[in-house]
């Protein structure tokens, strides 16, 4: 069975990635749920999509492993008919001052966030069908520059640096490349290790006075990969309620 359009969503088993996958499936796209290790969460996402009448498969892949990522694209082509949308939501977060950052942790973070983003972008550039859309994920902390986010912000700055370059390299194929940079969003990754006081303080920063939700970000991604957003290209869209 194949859909008219197919999306690969890395990090698609939880948080923002899951919200994106479910949103795109509701809009009629077949979805490949790329996940790193939690098979249960990935299967649960596939079941939720199927239960709502959509089509999805789960594919385990380390985004920094080019062989695994290529195999994920192979599955999308063989089982769902091709690749039209790539949303790269997989990532790691590690907080520390620059002075105290464990360099092994830094290497692991950057392997996923920089190399992983590059590998996914590389396969997308080679394999996505003309007329498609690529959406990478950054963070608004690249601009807010909160202490202890140095390693994470550096990795996401690299993602932003690739965005317009890749858009220009895909000239002539009617493919858009954009990056969404969420602000504080109520996901497991964001909430982990924070006190309620810290969470409440961050929620008050945007003029809209709340944390973002995964669904807020999914709506932005849906716009960018759909026909209404196809004139937006090479941009960093900071979806953060106005915090910067």
């Amino acid at each position: 069975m194949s859909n008219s359009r197919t999306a690969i969503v890395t990090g698609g088993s939880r948080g923002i990635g899951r919200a994106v996958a479910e949103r795109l499936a509701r809009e009629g796209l077949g979805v490949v749920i790329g996940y790193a290790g939690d098979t249960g969460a990935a299967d649960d996402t596939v079941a939720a999509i199927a239960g709502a009448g959509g089509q999805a498969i789960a594919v385990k892949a380390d985004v920094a492993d080019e062989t695994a990522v290529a195999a994920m694209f192979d599955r999308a082509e063989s089982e769902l008919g091709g690749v039209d949308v790539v949303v790269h939501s997989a990532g790691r977060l590690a907080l520390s001052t620059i002075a105290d950052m464990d360099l092994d942790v830094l290497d692991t973070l950057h392997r996923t966030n920089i190399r992983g983003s590059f590998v996914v972008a590389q396969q997308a550039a080679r394999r996505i069908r003309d007329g498609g859309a690529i959406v990478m994920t950054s963070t608004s902390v690249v601009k807010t520059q909160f202490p202890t986010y140095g390693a994470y912000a550096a990795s996401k700055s690299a993602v932003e640096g690739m965005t317009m370059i890749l858009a220009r390299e895909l000239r002539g194929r009617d493919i858009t490349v954009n990056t969404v940079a969420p602000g504080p969003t109520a996901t497991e990754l964001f909430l982990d290790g924070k006190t309620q006081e810290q969470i409440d303080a961050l929620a008050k920063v945007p003029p809209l006075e709340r944390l973002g939700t995964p669904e807020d970000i999914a709506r932005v991604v849906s716009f960018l990969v759909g026909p209404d957003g196809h004139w937006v290209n090479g941009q960093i869209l900071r979806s953060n309620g106005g915090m910067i």
Side-chain angles (χ1 to χ4, degrees):
M1 175 187 279
S2 65
N3 287 65
S4 57
R5 297 179 79 213
T6 297
I8 291 176
V9 181
T10 68
S13 66
R14 61 181 64 212
I16 291 171
R18 175 167 177 163
V20 168
E22 292 182 344
R23 172 81 184 211
L24 296 184
R26 287 198 304 272
E27 293 174 355
L29 281 78
V31 182
V32 175
I33 308 295
Y35 71 100
D38 190 339
T39 301
D43 289 344
D44 184 58
T45 304
V46 170
I49 288 172
Q55 182 184 14
I57 61 172
V59 180
K60 184 177 179 179
D62 171 2
V63 292
D65 179 343
E66 63 272 30
T67 302
V69 172
M72 179 170 60
F73 276 76
D74 289 343
R75 290 278 303 277
E77 291 174 350
S78 64
E79 296 184 38
L80 297 177
V83 181
D84 304 281
V85 171
V86 175
V87 181
H88 179 50
S89 185
R92 289 181 181 268
L93 173 65
L95 302 180
S96 170
T97 62
I98 290 171
D100 295 328
M101 172 60 73
D102 182 318
L103 294 182
D104 288 337
V105 173
L106 177 74
D107 288 344
T108 301
L109 177 77
H110 284 189
R111 181 180 183 276
T112 296
N113 291 4
I114 299 179
R115 180 185 168 89
S117 295
F118 197 97
V119 168
V120 171
Q122 184 177 69
Q123 283 296 316
R126 293 173 178 175
R127 313 276 290 268
I128 199 167
R129 290 189 282 213
D130 290 359
I134 300 169
V135 178
M136 310 297 282
T137 306
S138 180
T139 171
S140 289
V141 84
V142 169
K143 292 297 185 183
T144 60
Q145 300 179 346
F146 294 145
T148 74
Y149 281 84
Y152 185 65
S155 71
K156 294 301 190 176
S157 294
V159 175
E160 294 190 10
M162 285 189 274
T163 304
M164 179 62 88
I165 292 171
L166 183 57
R168 288 172 171 163
E169 289 175 349
L170 295 178
R171 174 184 292 275
R173 293 180 55 192
D174 192 32
I175 294 168
T176 62
V177 183
N178 294 287
T179 290
V180 174
T185 305
T187 64
E188 182 181 336
L189 180 70
F190 170 77
L191 297 173
D192 184 46
K194 292 183 175 67
T195 66
Q196 189 61 49
E197 183 180 23
Q198 289 172 319
I199 293 168
D200 291 344
L202 285 166
K204 292 176 182 175
V205 174
L208 298 182
E209 295 189 325
R210 66 171 175 86
L211 295 178
T213 67
E215 291 72 25
D216 287 325
I217 311 305
R219 283 190 283 270
V220 174
V221 173
S222 172
F223 166 73
L224 289 173
V225 305
D228 289 346
H230 202 67
W231 190 236
V232 181
N233 193 21
Q235 302 303 306
I236 314 299
L237 202 163
R238 303 205 183 281
S239 180
N240 57 32
M243 67 185 301
I244 190 167

